[in-house]
Amino acid sequence: MVMFRDWGVCWLLSVGFEVLECSLQFIIPEFKECWWDSLLIDLLGANMLGMAAGWLTLQVRVNTHNKEETEIDILYTAKRGSV
């Protein structure tokens, strides 16, 4: 599994896959769908929600990590007596 942290790369891959899906619908019949299904549900629905969920997950992990790091620094300096 690959995780990209850049919104531009995520959107580029998302739009690229939808273009690929539209161009292959003549070869693979399962790719045939309405234009609004491809645009609204796939791009703005599932892909946007997935990117937003990934971004929120990263934000929670970064905030938790920074909070733990600050608490460790405070405890370490308190034990040394430099507070």
Side-chain angles (χ1 to χ4, degrees):
M1 185 162 109
V2 177
M3 181 172 57
F4 297 102
R5 294 183 182 193
D6 184 36
W7 277 87
V9 172
C10 290
W11 275 113
L12 182 70
L13 290 173
S14 176
V15 171
F17 182 76
E18 291 304 321
V19 168
L20 180 70
E21 192 177 77
C22 287
S23 65
L24 291 177
Q25 69 183 350
F26 303 107
I27 299 170
I28 304 170
E30 287 82 17
F31 283 169
K32 288 184 181 178
E33 57 189 15
C34 300
W35 66 269
W36 56 267
D37 180 40
S38 179
L39 179 67
L40 296 176
I41 295 175
D42 291 346
L43 270 180
L44 300 177
N47 294 346
M48 180 70 169
L49 288 174
M51 287 188 282
W55 181 79
L56 285 172
T57 302
L58 283 175
Q59 295 303 313
V60 168
R61 291 196 67 193
V62 167
N63 288 339
T64 304
H65 181 67
N66 288 341
K67 182 180 175 184
E68 290 173 359
E69 201 171 79
T70 305
E71 289 174 356
I72 290 171
D73 288 342
I74 291 171
L75 290 173
Y76 179 71
T77 52
K79 285 183 181 179
R80 283 191 3 200
S82 24
V83 174

Coordinates of all heavy atoms in Angstrom, one line a residue:
M1 N 0.8 -1.2 0.0 CA 0.0 0.0 0.0 C 0.9 1.2 0.0 O 1.9 1.3 0.7 CB -0.9 0.0 1.2 CG -1.9 1.1 1.2 SD -3.2 0.8 2.4 CE -2.9 2.0 3.6
V2 N 0.5 2.2 -0.8 CA 1.3 3.4 -0.9 C 0.4 4.6 -0.3 O -0.8 4.7 -0.6 CB 1.6 3.7 -2.4 CG1 2.4 5.0 -2.5 CG2 2.5 2.6 -2.9
M3 N 1.0 5.5 0.5 CA 0.3 6.6 1.0 C 1.0 7.9 0.5 O 2.2 8.1 0.7 CB 0.3 6.5 2.5 CG -0.5 7.7 3.1 SD -0.7 7.6 4.9 CE 1.0 7.4 5.5
F4 N 0.2 8.7 -0.1 CA 0.7 10.0 -0.6 C 0.2 11.1 0.4 O -1.0 11.1 0.7 CB 0.2 10.3 -2.0 CG 0.8 9.3 -3.0 CD1 0.0 8.3 -3.5 CD2 2.1 9.4 -3.4 CE1 0.5 7.4 -4.4 CE2 2.6 8.5 -4.3 CZ 1.8 7.5 -4.8
R5 N 1.0 12.0 0.7 CA 0.6 13.1 1.7 C 0.3 14.4 0.9 O -0.1 15.4 1.6 CB 1.6 13.3 2.7 CG 1.8 12.1 3.6 CD 2.8 12.4 4.7 NE 3.0 11.3 5.5 CZ 3.6 11.3 6.7 NH1 4.1 12.4 7.1 NH2 3.7 10.2 7.4
D6 N 0.4 14.4 -0.4 CA 0.2 15.6 -1.1 C -1.1 15.6 -1.8 O -1.4 14.6 -2.5 CB 1.3 15.8 -2.2 CG 1.2 17.1 -2.9 OD1 0.8 18.1 -2.3 OD2 1.6 17.1 -4.1
W7 N -2.0 16.6 -1.6 CA -3.3 16.6 -2.2 C -3.2 16.6 -3.7 O -4.1 16.0 -4.3 CB -4.1 17.8 -1.7 CG -4.7 17.6 -0.3 CD1 -4.1 17.9 0.9 CD2 -6.0 17.2 -0.1 NE1 -5.0 17.5 1.9 CE2 -6.2 17.1 1.3 CE3 -7.1 16.8 -0.9 CZ2 -7.4 16.7 1.9 CZ3 -8.3 16.4 -0.3 CH2 -8.4 16.3 1.1
G8 N -2.3 17.3 -4.2 CA -2.2 17.4 -5.7 C -1.9 16.1 -6.3 O -2.5 15.7 -7.3
V9 N -1.0 15.3 -5.7 CA -0.7 13.9 -6.2 C -2.0 13.0 -6.1 O -2.3 12.3 -7.0 CB 0.5 13.3 -5.5 CG1 0.7 11.9 -5.9 CG2 1.7 14.1 -5.7
C10 N -2.7 13.2 -5.0 CA -3.9 12.4 -4.8 C -5.0 12.7 -5.8 O -5.6 11.8 -6.4 CB -4.4 12.6 -3.4 SG -3.4 11.9 -2.1
W11 N -5.2 14.0 -6.1 CA -6.1 14.4 -7.1 C -5.7 14.0 -8.5 O -6.5 13.6 -9.3 CB -6.4 15.9 -7.1 CG -7.4 16.3 -6.1 CD1 -7.2 17.0 -4.9 CD2 -8.8 16.0 -6.1 NE1 -8.3 17.1 -4.2 CE2 -9.3 16.5 -4.9 CE3 -9.6 15.2 -6.9 CZ2 -10.7 16.4 -4.6 CZ3 -10.9 15.1 -6.6 CH2 -11.5 15.7 -5.5
L12 N -4.4 14.1 -8.8 CA -3.9 13.7 -10.1 C -4.1 12.2 -10.3 O -4.6 11.8 -11.4 CB -2.4 14.0 -10.2 CG -1.7 13.6 -11.5 CD1 -2.2 14.6 -12.6 CD2 -0.2 13.7 -11.4
L13 N -3.9 11.4 -9.3 CA -4.1 9.9 -9.4 C -5.6 9.6 -9.5 O -6.0 8.7 -10.3 CB -3.5 9.2 -8.3 CG -2.0 9.1 -8.2 CD1 -1.5 8.5 -6.9 CD2 -1.4 8.4 -9.4
S14 N -6.4 10.3 -8.8 CA -7.8 10.1 -8.8 C -8.4 10.4 -10.2 O -9.2 9.6 -10.8 CB -8.5 11.0 -7.7 OG -9.9 10.8 -7.8
V15 N -8.1 11.6 -10.7 CA -8.6 12.0 -12.0 C -8.0 11.1 -13.1 O -8.7 10.7 -14.0 CB -8.3 13.5 -12.3 CG1 -8.6 13.9 -13.7 CG2 -9.1 14.4 -11.3
G16 N -6.7 10.8 -13.0 CA -6.1 9.9 -14.0 C -6.8 8.5 -14.0 O -7.0 8.0 -15.1
F17 N -7.2 8.0 -12.9 CA -7.9 6.7 -12.9 C -9.2 6.8 -13.5 O -9.7 5.9 -14.2 CB -8.0 6.1 -11.4 CG -8.6 4.8 -11.4 CD1 -8.0 3.7 -11.8 CD2 -10.0 4.7 -11.0 CE1 -8.6 2.4 -11.8 CE2 -10.6 3.4 -11.0 CZ -9.9 2.3 -11.4
E18 N -9.9 7.9 -13.3 CA -11.3 8.1 -13.9 C -11.2 8.2 -15.4 O -12.0 7.7 -16.1 CB -12.0 9.3 -13.3 CG -12.4 9.1 -11.8 CD -13.3 7.9 -11.6 OE1 -14.2 7.6 -12.5 OE2 -13.1 7.2 -10.6
V19 N -10.1 8.9 -15.9 CA -9.9 9.0 -17.3 C -9.6 7.6 -17.9 O -10.1 7.3 -19.0 CB -8.8 10.0 -17.6 CG1 -8.4 10.0 -19.1 CG2 -9.3 11.4 -17.3
L20 N -8.7 6.9 -17.2 CA -8.4 5.5 -17.6 C -9.6 4.7 -17.7 O -9.9 3.9 -18.6 CB -7.4 4.9 -16.7 CG -6.9 3.5 -17.0 CD1 -6.0 3.5 -18.3 CD2 -6.1 3.0 -15.9
E21 N -10.5 4.8 -16.7 CA -11.7 4.0 -16.6 C -12.6 4.4 -17.8 O -13.2 3.5 -18.4 CB -12.4 4.3 -15.3 CG -13.5 3.3 -14.9 CD -14.1 3.6 -13.6 OE1 -14.9 4.6 -13.5 OE2 -13.8 2.9 -12.6
C22 N -12.7 5.6 -18.1 CA -13.6 6.1 -19.2 C -13.0 5.6 -20.5 O -13.8 5.2 -21.5 CB -13.7 7.6 -19.2 SG -14.8 8.2 -17.9
S23 N -11.7 5.6 -20.7 CA -11.1 5.2 -21.9 C -11.1 3.7 -22.1 O -11.1 3.2 -23.3 CB -9.7 5.7 -22.0 OG -8.9 5.1 -21.1
L24 N -11.2 2.9 -21.1 CA -11.3 1.4 -21.2 C -12.7 0.8 -21.1 O -12.8 -0.4 -21.2 CB -10.4 0.8 -20.0 CG -8.9 1.0 -20.1 CD1 -8.2 0.4 -18.9 CD2 -8.4 0.4 -21.4
Q25 N -13.7 1.7 -21.1 CA -15.0 1.2 -21.0 C -15.5 0.4 -22.2 O -16.4 -0.4 -22.2 CB -16.0 2.3 -20.6 CG -16.3 3.3 -21.7 CD -17.2 4.4 -21.3 OE1 -17.8 4.3 -20.2 NE2 -17.3 5.4 -22.0
F26 N -14.8 0.6 -23.4 CA -15.2 -0.1 -24.6 C -14.6 -1.5 -24.6 O -15.0 -2.4 -25.3 CB -14.7 0.7 -25.8 CG -15.2 2.1 -25.8 CD1 -14.4 3.2 -25.5 CD2 -16.5 2.3 -26.1 CE1 -14.9 4.5 -25.6 CE2 -17.1 3.6 -26.1 CZ -16.3 4.7 -25.8
I27 N -13.5 -1.7 -23.8 CA -12.8 -3.0 -23.7 C -13.4 -3.8 -22.6 O -13.6 -5.0 -22.7 CB -11.3 -2.8 -23.6 CG1 -10.8 -2.1 -24.8 CG2 -10.6 -4.2 -23.4 CD1 -9.3 -1.6 -24.7
I28 N -13.6 -3.1 -21.4 CA -14.0 -3.8 -20.2 C -15.5 -3.3 -19.9 O -15.6 -2.1 -19.5 CB -13.1 -3.5 -19.0 CG1 -11.7 -3.9 -19.4 CG2 -13.6 -4.2 -17.8 CD1 -10.7 -3.5 -18.4
P29 N -16.5 -4.1 -20.1 CA -17.9 -3.6 -20.0 C -18.2 -3.2 -18.6 O -19.1 -2.4 -18.4 CB -18.7 -4.8 -20.5 CG -17.8 -5.9 -20.8 CD -16.4 -5.5 -20.6
E30 N -17.5 -3.7 -17.6 CA -17.9 -3.3 -16.2 C -17.5 -1.8 -15.9 O -18.0 -1.3 -14.9 CB -17.1 -4.2 -15.2 CG -17.6 -5.6 -15.1 CD -17.1 -6.5 -16.2 OE1 -16.1 -6.1 -16.8 OE2 -17.7 -7.5 -16.4
F31 N -16.7 -1.2 -16.8 CA -16.4 0.2 -16.6 C -17.4 1.2 -17.1 O -17.3 2.4 -16.9 CB -15.0 0.5 -17.2 CG -13.8 0.0 -16.4 CD1 -12.6 0.0 -16.9 CD2 -14.0 -0.4 -15.1 CE1 -11.5 -0.4 -16.2 CE2 -12.9 -0.9 -14.4 CZ -11.6 -0.9 -14.9
K32 N -18.4 0.7 -17.8 CA -19.5 1.6 -18.4 C -20.3 2.1 -17.2 O -20.9 1.3 -16.5 CB -20.3 0.8 -19.4 CG -19.6 0.5 -20.7 CD -20.5 -0.1 -21.7 CE -19.7 -0.4 -22.9 NZ -20.5 -1.1 -23.9
E33 N -20.4 3.4 -17.1 CA -21.2 4.0 -16.1 C -21.6 5.4 -16.6 O -21.0 6.0 -17.6 CB -20.5 4.1 -14.8 CG -19.2 4.9 -14.8 CD -18.4 4.7 -13.5 OE1 -18.8 3.9 -12.7 OE2 -17.5 5.5 -13.3
C34 N -22.6 6.0 -16.0 CA -23.0 7.4 -16.4 C -22.0 8.4 -16.1 O -21.1 8.2 -15.2 CB -24.3 7.7 -15.6 SG -25.7 6.6 -15.9
W35 N -22.0 9.5 -16.8 CA -21.0 10.6 -16.5 C -21.1 11.1 -15.1 O -20.1 11.4 -14.5 CB -21.1 11.7 -17.6 CG -22.4 12.5 -17.5 CD1 -23.6 12.2 -18.1 CD2 -22.6 13.6 -16.6 NE1 -24.5 13.1 -17.7 CE2 -24.0 14.0 -16.8 CE3 -21.9 14.3 -15.7 CZ2 -24.6 15.0 -16.1 CZ3 -22.5 15.4 -15.1 CH2 -23.8 15.7 -15.3
W36 N -22.4 11.3 -14.6 CA -22.5 11.8 -13.3 C -22.1 10.8 -12.2 O -21.6 11.2 -11.1 CB -24.0 12.3 -13.1 CG -25.0 11.2 -13.3 CD1 -25.7 10.9 -14.4 CD2 -25.4 10.2 -12.3 NE1 -26.5 9.8 -14.2 CE2 -26.4 9.4 -12.9 CE3 -25.1 10.0 -11.0 CZ2 -27.0 8.3 -12.3 CZ3 -25.7 8.9 -10.3 CH2 -26.6 8.1 -11.0
D37 N -22.2 9.5 -12.5 CA -21.7 8.5 -11.5 C -20.2 8.6 -11.4 O -19.6 8.6 -10.3 CB -22.1 7.1 -12.0 CG -21.6 6.1 -11.0 OD1 -21.7 6.3 -9.8 OD2 -21.2 5.0 -11.5
S38 N -19.5 8.8 -12.6 CA -18.0 8.9 -12.6 C -17.6 10.2 -11.9 O -16.6 10.2 -11.1 CB -17.5 8.8 -14.0 OG -16.1 9.0 -14.0
L39 N -18.3 11.3 -12.2 CA -17.8 12.6 -11.6 C -18.2 12.7 -10.2 O -17.4 13.0 -9.3 CB -18.4 13.7 -12.5 CG -18.1 15.1 -12.0 CD1 -16.6 15.4 -12.2 CD2 -18.9 16.1 -12.8
L40 N -19.5 12.6 -9.9 CA -20.0 12.9 -8.6 C -19.7 11.8 -7.5 O -19.2 12.1 -6.4 CB -21.5 13.2 -8.6 CG -22.0 14.4 -9.4 CD1 -23.5 14.4 -9.5 CD2 -21.4 15.6 -8.9
I41 N -20.1 10.6 -7.8 CA -19.9 9.6 -6.8 C -18.4 9.1 -6.7 O -17.9 9.0 -5.6 CB -20.8 8.4 -7.2 CG1 -22.3 8.8 -7.1 CG2 -20.5 7.2 -6.2 CD1 -23.3 7.7 -7.5
D42 N -17.8 8.9 -7.8 CA -16.4 8.4 -7.7 C -15.4 9.5 -7.3 O -14.7 9.4 -6.3 CB -15.9 7.8 -9.1 CG -16.7 6.5 -9.4 OD1 -17.3 6.0 -8.4 OD2 -16.6 6.1 -10.5
L43 N -15.4 10.6 -8.1 CA -14.4 11.7 -7.8 C -14.7 12.5 -6.5 O -13.9 12.6 -5.6 CB -14.3 12.6 -9.0 CG -13.3 12.3 -10.1 CD1 -13.3 13.3 -11.1 CD2 -11.9 12.1 -9.5
L44 N -15.9 13.0 -6.5 CA -16.2 13.9 -5.4 C -16.7 13.2 -4.2 O -16.7 13.7 -3.1 CB -17.2 15.0 -5.8 CG -16.8 15.9 -7.0 CD1 -17.9 16.8 -7.4 CD2 -15.5 16.6 -6.6
G45 N -17.2 12.0 -4.4 CA -17.7 11.2 -3.2 C -16.7 10.3 -2.6 O -16.0 10.7 -1.6
A46 N -16.4 9.2 -3.2 CA -15.5 8.2 -2.5 C -14.1 8.7 -2.4 O -13.4 8.6 -1.4 CB -15.6 6.9 -3.3
N47 N -13.5 9.2 -3.5 CA -12.1 9.7 -3.5 C -11.9 10.8 -2.6 O -10.9 10.9 -1.8 CB -11.7 10.0 -4.9 CG -11.6 8.8 -5.8 OD1 -11.7 7.7 -5.3 ND2 -11.5 9.0 -7.1
M48 N -12.8 11.8 -2.6 CA -12.7 13.0 -1.7 C -12.8 12.6 -0.2 O -12.1 13.0 0.6 CB -13.7 14.0 -2.1 CG -13.7 15.3 -1.3 SD -12.2 16.2 -1.7 CE -12.6 17.7 -0.8
L49 N -13.8 11.7 0.1 CA -13.9 11.3 1.4 C -12.7 10.4 1.9 O -12.3 10.6 3.0 CB -15.2 10.4 1.6 CG -16.5 11.2 1.5 CD1 -17.7 10.2 1.5 CD2 -16.7 12.1 2.6
G50 N -12.2 9.6 1.0 CA -11.0 8.9 1.4 C -9.8 9.7 1.7 O -9.0 9.5 2.6
M51 N -9.6 10.8 0.8 CA -8.5 11.7 1.0 C -8.7 12.5 2.3 O -7.7 12.7 3.1 CB -8.3 12.6 -0.2 CG -7.8 11.9 -1.4 SD -7.4 13.0 -2.7 CE -9.0 13.3 -3.4
A52 N -9.9 12.9 2.6 CA -10.2 13.7 3.8 C -10.0 12.8 5.0 O -9.4 13.3 6.0 CB -11.6 14.2 3.8
A53 N -10.4 11.5 5.0 CA -10.2 10.6 6.1 C -8.7 10.4 6.4 O -8.3 10.3 7.5 CB -10.9 9.3 5.9
G54 N -8.0 10.2 5.3 CA -6.5 10.1 5.4 C -5.9 11.3 6.0 O -5.0 11.2 6.9
W55 N -6.3 12.5 5.6 CA -5.7 13.7 6.1 C -6.0 13.8 7.6 O -5.2 14.2 8.4 CB -6.3 14.9 5.4 CG -5.7 16.2 5.8 CD1 -4.5 16.7 5.5 CD2 -6.4 17.1 6.7 NE1 -4.4 17.9 6.2 CE2 -5.5 18.2 6.9 CE3 -7.6 17.1 7.3 CZ2 -5.8 19.3 7.7 CZ3 -7.9 18.2 8.1 CH2 -7.1 19.3 8.3
L56 N -7.3 13.5 8.0 CA -7.7 13.6 9.4 C -6.9 12.6 10.3 O -6.5 12.9 11.4 CB -9.2 13.4 9.6 CG -10.1 14.5 9.2 CD1 -11.5 14.1 9.2 CD2 -9.9 15.7 10.0
T57 N -6.6 11.4 9.7 CA -5.9 10.4 10.4 C -4.4 10.9 10.7 O -3.9 10.8 11.8 CB -5.8 9.1 9.6 OG1 -7.2 8.7 9.4 CG2 -5.0 8.1 10.4
L58 N -3.8 11.5 9.6 CA -2.5 12.1 9.8 C -2.5 13.2 10.8 O -1.5 13.3 11.6 CB -2.0 12.6 8.5 CG -1.5 11.6 7.5 CD1 -1.1 12.2 6.2 CD2 -0.3 10.8 8.0
Q59 N -3.5 14.1 10.8 CA -3.5 15.2 11.8 C -3.6 14.7 13.2 O -3.0 15.2 14.1 CB -4.7 16.1 11.5 CG -4.6 16.8 10.2 CD -3.3 17.6 10.1 OE1 -2.9 18.4 11.0 NE2 -2.6 17.5 9.0
V60 N -4.5 13.7 13.4 CA -4.6 13.1 14.8 C -3.3 12.5 15.3 O -2.9 12.7 16.4 CB -5.8 12.1 14.8 CG1 -5.8 11.3 16.1 CG2 -7.1 12.8 14.6
R61 N -2.7 11.7 14.4 CA -1.4 11.1 14.7 C -0.3 12.1 15.0 O 0.4 12.0 16.0 CB -1.0 10.1 13.7 CG -1.9 8.9 13.6 CD -1.3 7.8 12.8 NE -0.2 7.3 13.6 CZ 0.7 6.5 13.1 NH1 0.7 6.1 11.8 NH2 1.7 6.1 13.8
V62 N -0.2 13.2 14.2 CA 0.8 14.2 14.4 C 0.5 14.9 15.7 O 1.4 15.2 16.5 CB 0.8 15.2 13.2 CG1 1.6 16.4 13.5 CG2 1.4 14.5 12.0
N63 N -0.7 15.3 16.0 CA -1.0 16.0 17.2 C -0.8 15.1 18.5 O -0.3 15.6 19.5 CB -2.5 16.5 17.2 CG -2.7 17.6 16.3 OD1 -1.8 18.3 15.9 ND2 -3.9 17.8 15.8
T64 N -1.1 13.9 18.4 CA -0.9 13.0 19.5 C 0.6 12.8 19.7 O 1.1 12.8 20.9 CB -1.5 11.6 19.2 OG1 -2.9 11.8 19.0 CG2 -1.4 10.7 20.4
H65 N 1.4 12.6 18.7 CA 2.8 12.5 18.8 C 3.5 13.7 19.4 O 4.3 13.6 20.2 CB 3.4 12.2 17.4 CG 4.9 12.0 17.4 ND1 5.5 10.9 18.0 CD2 5.9 12.7 16.9 CE1 6.8 11.0 17.9 NE2 7.1 12.1 17.2
N66 N 3.1 14.9 18.9 CA 3.6 16.1 19.5 C 3.3 16.3 20.9 O 4.1 16.8 21.7 CB 3.2 17.3 18.7 CG 3.8 17.4 17.3 OD1 4.8 16.8 17.1 ND2 3.2 18.1 16.4
K67 N 2.1 15.9 21.3 CA 1.7 16.1 22.7 C 2.5 15.2 23.6 O 3.0 15.6 24.7 CB 0.2 15.7 22.8 CG -0.4 15.9 24.2 CD -1.8 15.5 24.3 CE -2.4 15.6 25.7 NZ -3.7 15.2 25.8
E68 N 2.7 13.9 23.2 CA 3.5 13.0 24.0 C 4.9 13.4 24.0 O 5.6 13.3 25.1 CB 3.5 11.6 23.3 CG 2.1 10.9 23.4 CD 2.1 9.6 22.7 OE1 3.1 9.3 22.0 OE2 1.0 8.9 22.7
E69 N 5.5 14.0 23.0 CA 6.8 14.5 23.0 C 7.0 15.6 23.9 O 8.0 15.7 24.7 CB 7.2 14.9 21.5 CG 8.7 15.0 21.2 CD 8.9 15.2 19.8 OE1 8.8 16.4 19.4 OE2 9.2 14.2 19.1
T70 N 6.0 16.5 24.0 CA 6.1 17.7 24.9 C 6.0 17.2 26.4 O 6.7 17.7 27.2 CB 4.9 18.6 24.6 OG1 5.0 19.0 23.3 CG2 5.0 19.9 25.5
E71 N 5.1 16.2 26.6 CA 5.0 15.7 28.0 C 6.3 15.0 28.4 O 6.8 15.1 29.6 CB 3.9 14.7 28.1 CG 2.5 15.4 28.0 CD 1.4 14.3 27.9 OE1 1.7 13.1 27.9 OE2 0.2 14.8 27.9
I72 N 7.0 14.3 27.5 CA 8.2 13.6 27.8 C 9.3 14.7 28.1 O 10.1 14.5 29.1 CB 8.7 12.7 26.7 CG1 7.7 11.5 26.6 CG2 10.1 12.2 26.8 CD1 7.9 10.6 25.4
D73 N 9.4 15.7 27.3 CA 10.3 16.8 27.6 C 10.1 17.5 28.9 O 11.1 17.7 29.7 CB 10.3 17.9 26.5 CG 10.8 17.4 25.2 OD1 11.6 16.3 25.2 OD2 10.5 18.0 24.1
I74 N 8.9 17.7 29.3 CA 8.6 18.3 30.6 C 9.0 17.4 31.7 O 9.6 17.9 32.7 CB 7.1 18.7 30.7 CG1 6.8 19.8 29.7 CG2 6.7 19.0 32.1 CD1 5.3 20.1 29.6
L75 N 8.7 16.1 31.6 CA 9.1 15.2 32.7 C 10.6 15.0 32.8 O 11.1 15.0 33.9 CB 8.4 13.8 32.4 CG 6.9 13.7 32.6 CD1 6.5 12.3 32.1 CD2 6.5 13.9 34.0
Y76 N 11.3 15.0 31.7 CA 12.7 14.9 31.7 C 13.4 16.1 32.3 O 14.3 15.9 33.2 CB 13.2 14.7 30.2 CG 14.7 14.6 30.2 CD1 15.4 13.4 30.6 CD2 15.5 15.6 29.7 CE1 16.7 13.3 30.6 CE2 16.9 15.5 29.6 CZ 17.5 14.3 30.0 OH 18.9 14.2 30.0
T77 N 12.9 17.3 32.0 CA 13.5 18.5 32.6 C 13.2 18.6 34.0 O 14.0 19.1 34.8 CB 13.1 19.8 31.8 OG1 11.7 19.8 31.7 CG2 13.7 19.8 30.4
A78 N 12.0 18.1 34.4 CA 11.6 18.2 35.8 C 12.4 17.3 36.7 O 12.8 17.6 37.8 CB 10.1 17.9 36.0
K79 N 12.8 16.1 36.1 CA 13.6 15.1 36.9 C 15.0 15.7 37.0 O 15.7 15.4 38.0 CB 13.6 13.8 36.2 CG 12.3 13.0 36.4 CD 12.4 11.7 35.7 CE 11.1 10.9 35.9 NZ 11.1 9.6 35.2
R80 N 15.5 16.4 36.0 CA 16.9 16.9 36.1 C 17.0 18.1 37.1 O 18.0 18.5 37.5 CB 17.3 17.4 34.7 CG 17.7 16.2 33.9 CD 18.5 16.6 32.6 NE 18.7 18.0 32.5 CZ 18.9 18.7 31.4 NH1 18.9 18.0 30.3 NH2 19.1 19.9 31.4
G81 N 15.8 18.7 37.4 CA 15.8 19.8 38.3 C 16.1 21.2 37.6 O 16.4 22.2 38.3
S82 N 15.9 21.3 36.3 CA 16.2 22.5 35.6 C 14.9 23.3 35.4 O 15.0 24.3 34.7 CB 16.9 22.3 34.3 OG 16.7 21.1 33.8
V83 N 13.8 22.9 36.0 CA 12.6 23.7 35.8 C 12.5 24.8 36.8 O 12.8 24.8 37.9 CB 11.3 22.8 35.8 CG1 10.1 23.6 35.8 CG2 11.4 21.8 34.7

